[in-house]
Amino acid sequence: MGLLFGLLQTDEFQTWLARRVTAYLSSELNAKVQVERVSIRFFNKVVLGDVFVADTKGDSLFYFNELSVDIKDLSFEKKNLDISKITLHDGYFNLIHSKGELHDNLFFLTDYFSSKDTTVKDTSKWNLKLRNIELKNFRFHYDDWNDPEEKGLVDFSHLDVSQVSGFFHDLRFVNDSIFAKIDKLSFKEKSGFIVNEFTADAKVSDHEITTKGLLIKSTTTDLDGDLNLNYASWDDFSDFIHKVKWTGDFNRSIVDFRDIAYFTDELKGLNKTLSIQGKVKGTVDRFKGKDMVLQWGNKSMFKGNVFMEGLPNIDETYMDILANDLQINTTDIEWIPLPPFVSGDHIVLPANIDYLGDVGFKGKFTGFASDFVTYGSIKTDIGLINSDLNMKSDGKTVSYKGHLSTYNFNIGKIAKVPHLGNVTFSADVKGSGLQL
């Protein structure tokens, strides 16, 4: 008996046995199954080397250079298997759904191991726990050829994610949901989208992704907060701007729009970063922001609440903005680009607006970029302005109508009429340009 147990402990015998098993599975599945090396340390560790499984067409389904399983508890009597950790080295998973076919290339495998008789209670079912997974240089490839391929974007029907490394702790499977603590996950997608670190307490299901304590770092993005994504199906990600609903509560974070542009070509060319803090809810094209703090350019800053509908087309976007504190200058206004962003065009202001210097605004802005009402107080380097104006622009001329009052405002400087000097007045106004 001791000799038999000693034989079972040798890598040579375990490899021989594994090859017999894989030969049987290859015959049963009508697909190649191969394991080149096996090392089992009863009853707490299993290491498999050069694991290869093909699909029924002979193409690669998955491969692992090394698969290591650390077992915390194994009880045949209680039918209990508690796996403390699975480590995958240099793995590759190739999931394909061919055009016109009902199932993907993994179905034959899941179908083989699933129970066929649903009328008989399975009394042999084991209790399986999987606590931790570590990935080292993993690659995941997925193609659904029932959907067209989009070049240059993260296409959820045609993914190729490589250099995947990271940890998944405290894994739990509840109905259709997966729970895990994700730690220092990094990867690169074929579109060029790179994540250097992804850390969060996460829940993933067919209709929701929830992340708490979220930290995402790319080369220039540094996102910190909680973020929930809701969707009807994974197909909604192909129309991320309109169909994926998100709720976020962000600590001060840096967002690079070049990273967001990997998910929608409408933001291509928007090579800007924005500092963001606050609570947001909605979709990209229709959202609310509460207690927001935004910073951009050299020293511009906004504190307040925001509602926007119509993005990314800024010309057709309706805005309802309450500014508790807005600090801005002409340089940072002209920093703002105009769509289509690949054109490189940006807002251009008349030269005499420079005389306003650093501008502070408290009030409300409602309407579109070319037709809006602004109500509030404006503090400039050349005096104070209180406004309740409707302003319109056809791209060449700005017209206005409403009430305007000033206090020690140097209208002569901005009008380039030096003898006018400082003016204090309150009046209903109507005009265009500098003509009242």
Side-chain angles (χ1 to χ4, degrees), residues 327-384:
Q327 302 292 328
I328 198 166
N329 56 39
T330 55
T331 301
D332 289 347
I333 292 175
E334 293 186 331
W335 172 92
I336 300 172
L338 296 173
F341 301 114
V342 292
S343 68
D345 294 336
H346 55 86
I347 293 175
V348 177
L349 297 174
N352 58 339
I353 298 297
D354 278 338
Y355 292 120
L356 295 176
D358 293 331
V359 175
F361 174 75
K362 293 182 179 181
K364 193 158 185 173
F365 176 103
T366 306
F368 299 86
S370 59
D371 184 357
F372 62 89
V373 173
T374 177
Y375 173 83
S377 60
I378 305 169
K379 181 180 179 181
T380 76
D381 287 355
I382 57 173
L384 300 177

Side-chain angles (χ1 to χ4, degrees), residues 31 40 86 102 140 205 210 228 256 310:
I40 303 175
I86 290 180
L102 184 61
F140 173 73
S205 72
T210 301
N228 297 343
D256 191 327

Side-chain angles (χ1 to χ4, degrees), residues 211-225:
T211 57
K212 294 184 178 181
L214 175 66
L215 179 63
I216 300 178
K217 292 184 178 182
S218 70
T219 304
T220 49
T221 290
D222 192 342
L223 193 63
D224 178 10

Side-chain angles (χ1 to χ4, degrees), residues 91-137:
Y92 174 54
F93 183 25
N94 182 42
L95 188 62
I96 304 295
H97 195 163
S98 297
K99 187 174 180 64
E101 294 191 3
L102 184 61
H103 301 295
D104 58 42
N105 63 336
L106 180 64
F107 177 78
F108 81 100
L109 198 59
T110 57
D111 183 58
Y112 177 82
F113 287 104
S114 64
S115 174
K116 304 297 189 295
D117 188 353
T118 59
T119 64
V120 179
K121 184 177 180 180
D122 185 6
T123 59
S124 63
K125 187 175 181 180
W126 280 62
N127 178 31
L128 173 64
K129 290 183 180 179
L130 174 57
R131 298 175 182 271
N132 304 288
I133 295 177
E134 180 180 3
L135 302 178
K136 295 181 178 180
N137 194 31

